[in-house]
Amino acid sequence: MTLKKLSALALIMTSLLPALSQARDTVLNLDFAAVVQEATQAGKLDGSVKFYLAGATVPGKSTPLGELVTNKKTNAFNKTDEEACSWALQSALITLQDAAKKVGGNAVVDIVSFYKRKESRSSTTYECHAGTFVGGVALKGQAASLK
């Protein structure tokens, strides 16, 4: 490569660096129940564990079995923010389902969004962070046995 071409390439790369360092982090609050239903219908969740966001009414008596935390990311390339967020939430729900079943639970209650260890509560939505290349969901909840 000639010095002229190297200089031109260096100039182009230098001009791109500020854009790359300004990573996008769009916060979305999306419908939790719709993604749970989608994952259940697709067979990703087996239906043996129910999910209740903090503030939602939990039927019957709930016996706590331990705190659960999950932080899932997904490749957002060629996906809308909503699609990437749905993938990340479904992955988080699978992790919570498996962890609850391991301790004898049939529910995860008091679920809050827990992105970067900051709680965000809603009885209907979950928080997702969508970037240029990655979408992420972090959740914290309580494994429980419902009677």
Side-chain angles (χ1 to χ4, degrees), residues 31-111:
D31 185 9
F32 183 80
V35 178
V36 172
Q37 182 178 6
E38 179 184 334
T40 303
Q41 288 176 343
K44 294 177 183 177
L45 297 174
D46 63 19
S48 67
V49 173
K50 302 296 181 200
F51 301 94
Y52 299 93
L53 291 169
T57 303
V58 177
K61 183 181 182 223
S62 175
T63 303
L65 300 172
E67 184 176 84
L68 304 174
V69 177
T70 183
N71 183 356
K72 297 297 181 180
K73 308 271 191 245
T74 190
N75 178 346
F77 182 73
N78 208 26
K79 294 181 183 95
T80 66
D81 287 351
E82 291 77 9
E83 288 170 330
C85 289
S86 177
W87 276 73
L89 179 60
Q90 288 182 46
S91 181
L93 292 170
I94 292 165
T95 298
L96 292 177
Q97 171 185 266
D98 294 347
K101 287 166 69 171
K102 263 187 194 169
V103 296
N106 61 359
V108 180
V109 300
D110 295 325
I111 299 171

Side-chain angles (χ1 to χ4, degrees), residues 4-57:
K4 192 174 185 179
K5 285 183 182 178
L6 280 174
S7 296
L9 181 60
L11 182 63
I12 290 169
M13 294 303 290
T14 303
S15 67
L16 291 176
L17 285 177
L20 292 175
S21 67
Q22 300 284 329
R24 182 171 74 91
D25 184 17
T26 303
V27 179
L28 297 111
N29 290 290
L30 302 167
D31 185 9
F32 183 80
V35 178
V36 172
Q37 182 178 6
E38 179 184 334
T40 303
Q41 288 176 343
K44 294 177 183 177
L45 297 174
D46 63 19
S48 67
V49 173
K50 302 296 181 200
F51 301 94
Y52 299 93
L53 291 169
T57 303

